[in-house]
């Protein structure tokens, strides 16, 4: 009885082992294809769940088909021969219907084999169309051109790109020095323009002042022509009146009339 029970248990274990060799699981976010040792890669793609296989003849190949991030650094040159360092971050996933072709032509590690090369190729071709300064001022256009070209290039390998962004953009030391020199030159130009504008303002002010003096002199000349010498005589009388007033208030000066003419004596103090 015991030997019979042991035999049954042994057969059950063998059956469970054989069944486990005939089954495989595909988790969420994954897809599988079958490699047959006699027929090669099967064209059917298996989704999530448990599936059958022929033990020792068929092997499942599991692919992760979820979107995954990857950053690719690239060093290239701009249109004006400046060194540009970029880092491109992409979200990608394979086309599930093309997994047999991807496995046959590239392999399971398709992202390591394909993405760095096509990113390097596309970035170099796009960046070479812009000057270093344009890469900054026209960054949205650069990103759009990179995204369009890279998406088309990746689709030829059965890879979909969900998001593409330039996360890092720097230039070589030569460009940094050129930017600094340009800023200094701009400051010098602004300073020179200020001095020129100041000189022009002072020149205009001097011309305006001279024109005003000329107008005032002409007005005086016209006034003298109209009144003749009477204005000068009036100014003389006003001056004489002021002088006489000042002298009359002084104790050292005495007024003596003589022949209808006045005589002013300066007497010493006692």
């Amino acid at each position: 009885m015991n030997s019979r029970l042991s035999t049954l248990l042994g057969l059950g274990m063998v059956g469970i082992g054989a069944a486990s060799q005939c089954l495989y699981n595909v988790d969420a976010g994954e897809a599988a294809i079958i490699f047959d040792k006699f027929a090669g890669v099967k064209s059917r793609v298996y989704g999530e769940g448990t599936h059958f296989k022929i033990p020792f003849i068929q092997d499942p190949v599991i692919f992760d088909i979820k979107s995954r991030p990857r950053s690719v650094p690239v060093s290239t040159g701009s249109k004006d021969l400046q060194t540009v360092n970029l880092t491109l971050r992409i979200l990608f996933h394979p086309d599930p219907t093309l997994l047999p072709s991807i496995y046959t032509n590239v392999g399971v590690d398709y992202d390591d084999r394909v993405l760095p090369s096509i990113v390097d190729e596309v970035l170099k071709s796009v960046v070479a169309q812009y000057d270093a300064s344009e890469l900054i001022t026209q960054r949205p256009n650069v990103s759009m051109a990179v995204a369009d070209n890279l998406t088309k290039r990746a689709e030829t390998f059965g890879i979909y790109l969900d998001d593409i962004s330039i996360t890092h953009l720097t230039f070589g030391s030569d460009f940094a020095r050129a930017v600094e020199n340009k800023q200094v030159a701009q400051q010098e130009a602004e300073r020179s323009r200020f001095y020129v504008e100041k000189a022009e303002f002072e020149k205009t002010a001097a011309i305006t002042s001279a024109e005003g003096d000329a107008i005032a002199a002409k007005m005086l000349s016209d006034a003298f022509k109209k009144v003749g010498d009477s204005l000068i005589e009036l100014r003389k009388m006003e001056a004489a009146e002021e002088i006489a007033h000042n002298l009359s208030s002084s104790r050292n000066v005495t007024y003596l009339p003589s022949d209808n003419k006045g005589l002013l004596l300066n007497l010493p103090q006692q």
Side-chain angles (χ1 to χ4, degrees):
M1 184 71 179
N2 290 333
S3 60
R4 185 177 180 182
L5 181 60
S6 299
T7 302
L8 291 174
L9 290 174
L11 291 175
M13 295 296 292
V14 171
I16 293 173
S20 65
Q21 292 294 323
C22 296
L23 300 175
Y24 67 94
N25 293 323
V26 179
D27 296 330
E30 294 180 342
I33 60 173
I34 293 296
F35 176 74
D36 191 297
K37 294 181 180 178
F38 296 105
V41 179
K42 297 290 187 178
S43 60
R44 181 180 175 184
V45 178
Y46 297 87
E48 303 167 3
T50 301
H51 306 279
F52 291 96
K53 66 173 183 175
I54 301 175
F56 310 111
I57 296 177
Q58 294 181 336
D59 294 321
V61 181
I62 308 296
F63 280 86
D64 185 353
I65 59 174
K66 299 186 296 293
S67 291
R68 291 182 291 157
R70 187 183 182 99
S71 295
V72 181
V74 175
S75 179
T76 182
S78 62
K79 185 178 180 181
D80 53 353
L81 304 180
Q82 297 292 338
T83 302
V84 184
N85 301 310
L86 304 99
T87 299
L88 197 68
R89 183 182 181 274
I90 55 179
L91 285 176
F92 69 95
H93 72 275
D95 183 353
T97 61
L98 296 179
L99 290 181
S101 174
I102 293 176
Y103 181 73
T104 301
N105 297 321
V106 184
V108 179
D109 56 345
Y110 64 92
D111 54 326
D112 292 328
R113 295 172 178 267
V114 174
L115 293 180
S117 61
I118 65 174
V119 168
D120 184 79
E121 173 191 347
V122 170
L123 279 179
K124 287 183 176 179
S125 64
V126 172
V127 170
Q129 302 174 19
Y130 295 87
D131 292 336
S133 58
E134 292 175 342
L135 293 174
I136 300 175
T137 59
Q138 302 183 29
R139 184 163 177 167
N141 295 335
V142 176
S143 298
M144 186 178 299
V146 170
D148 291 342
N149 293 328
L150 190 58
T151 299
K152 294 177 182 178
R153 192 77 176 89
E155 287 178 353
T156 61
F157 294 93
I159 303 173
Y160 289 147
L161 302 182
D162 303 317
D163 183 67
I164 303 171
S165 60
I166 298 175
T167 59
H168 181 72
L169 175 61
T170 59
F171 302 93
S173 57
D174 293 339
F175 181 75
R177 283 194 298 269
V179 171
E180 182 179 356
N181 293 335
K182 181 179 180 180
Q183 291 176 345
V184 172
Q186 289 177 343
Q187 292 174 356
E188 292 293 335
E190 290 292 332
R191 187 180 295 108
S192 299
R193 186 174 66 179
F194 169 75
Y195 288 142
V196 170
E197 291 178 352
K198 181 180 178 182
E200 290 291 336
F201 177 77
E202 292 176 348
K203 178 182 177 181
T204 303
I207 293 174
T208 303
S209 177
E211 290 176 349
D213 293 341
I215 293 173
K218 186 176 184 303
M219 292 175 64
L220 287 175
S221 176
D222 293 342
F224 289 149
K225 289 179 180 179
K226 286 182 179 181
V227 300
D229 295 336
S230 58
L231 181 60
I232 298 175
E233 293 297 330
L234 177 61
R235 293 290 184 263
K236 287 181 179 181
M237 292 173 62
E238 291 175 350
E241 181 181 358
E242 183 178 358
I243 293 171
H245 176 73
N246 292 334
L247 293 177
S248 63
S249 61
S250 176
R251 296 179 179 180
N252 299 328
V253 177
T254 302
Y255 176 75
L256 297 176
S258 175
D259 299 332
N260 297 327
K261 294 182 179 179
L263 177 63
L264 297 176
L265 298 179
N266 187 5
L267 300 179
Q269 287 185 329
Q270 295 292 332

